[in-house]
Amino acid sequence: MKLKHILAIMPLAFVAGYGCEEGFIFNPQGYEVNGNTCEEAKADMEGKGYTIDGKWRAGKADVGLSFEPLYTPQPQQTGQQKRFCCKAVIGSLTAKCNANIYLPQWNGSDKCWDRFIDALTLHEMGHVEICNDYADKLKNAIIGLDSIQCSEISPEQACNAALDELEQKANEAYDTVSAEHNTAQDAYDTGNNHGERQGATLNCNCE
């Protein structure tokens, strides 16, 4: 993306990840489960839910990272005629986790269902915690970036070049941290088998 305006404070937002709404939203609606008993609710739930990595899952967390920098160009004095330099810096930065959690909703009452929902919620919130950790890492990776470029033509050209390079650096930092975040999310699911080792499997004959 070309940054057209120079010699002024310029906001530019980058939103990426999984297409979630901005900010964390705990979404208790998910999908409705019908049935009069735990067994009936389980059978109905297994006809709904979500397909993740080719397998059925009762719930899901959509998580992703975004960042919104405020870029500031700073024309520099060079002491040389017909040589113009400009420094671009991150004036301010917001980095955040964008997340939605989706869970099955049943109006019935059963202790086994309650245990299952508690465990499933705990698992999905683990995804959000990882995402929040990497939002902090993203901010740390971007906040100190800068760029200095010079031009024989004009300060505007120097600032354009500096801003272009700073934008590229910020995008590269995002790509690196985002890839690390995706790896961490996959490792979390692998480590607990998508919540099954945390109890996120409905057993209607629980003790």
Side-chain angles (χ1 to χ4, degrees):
M1 179 187 299
K2 281 288 187 180
L3 303 178
K4 299 298 185 183
H5 305 290
I6 63 173
L7 301 180
I9 296 177
M10 304 183 307
L12 182 62
F14 300 78
V15 179
Y18 300 87
C20 310
E21 296 296 327
E22 185 174 287
F24 170 61
I25 301 173
F26 183 78
N27 184 351
Q29 299 305 312
Y31 57 95
E32 183 179 357
V33 173
N34 300 306
N36 296 318
T37 66
C38 179
E39 288 80 3
E40 290 178 358
K42 181 178 181 180
D44 188 65
M45 176 182 68
E46 291 176 350
K48 300 174 181 177
Y50 307 97
T51 300
I52 302 173
D53 296 332
K55 294 184 179 180
W56 177 87
R57 305 294 177 190
K60 69 173 182 174
D62 286 339
V63 293
L65 301 174
S66 69
F67 71 101
E68 185 174 348
L70 189 67
Y71 291 149
T72 306
Q74 301 173 341
Q76 308 287 296
Q77 298 294 330
T78 66
Q80 300 180 31
Q81 290 186 345
K82 294 186 178 181
R83 179 172 172 81
F84 309 98
C85 293
C86 185
K87 181 178 182 179
V89 300
I90 306 289
S92 65
L93 174 69
T94 299
K96 65 178 66 175
C97 167
N98 304 312
N100 282 325
I101 286 180
Y102 301 93
L103 302 172
Q105 305 296 308
W106 181 47
N107 290 327
S109 177
D110 185 275
K111 68 176 182 180
C112 297
W113 176 272
D114 292 341
R115 290 180 185 178
F116 157 67
I117 289 296
D118 287 347
L120 181 58
T121 302
L122 178 67
H123 170 73
E124 303 304 353
M125 286 300 297
H127 284 293
V128 178
E129 290 176 6
I130 292 170
C131 186
N132 282 328
D133 288 343
Y134 276 87
D136 290 339
K137 292 181 180 180
L138 177 60
K139 184 173 183 178
N140 291 334
I142 293 176
I143 192 65
L145 295 177
D146 61 23
S147 173
I148 298 177
Q149 295 291 320
C150 296
S151 168
E152 303 294 333
I153 298 174
S154 68
E156 289 82 7
Q157 186 178 69
C159 285
N160 265 334
L163 289 166
D164 284 347
E165 183 179 62
L166 182 57
E167 180 184 4
Q168 181 179 352
K169 287 182 178 181
N171 284 331
E172 289 173 352
Y174 170 82
D175 289 342
T176 297
V177 175
S178 183
E180 293 172 354
H181 170 240
N182 291 340
T183 298
Q185 295 286 4
D186 290 342
Y188 173 69
D189 271 335
T190 299
N192 56 59
N193 196 21
H194 291 268
E196 290 185 10
R197 295 191 181 96
Q198 296 165 296
T201 301
L202 179 56
N203 174 15
C204 293
N205 297 314
C206 68
E207 297 296 331

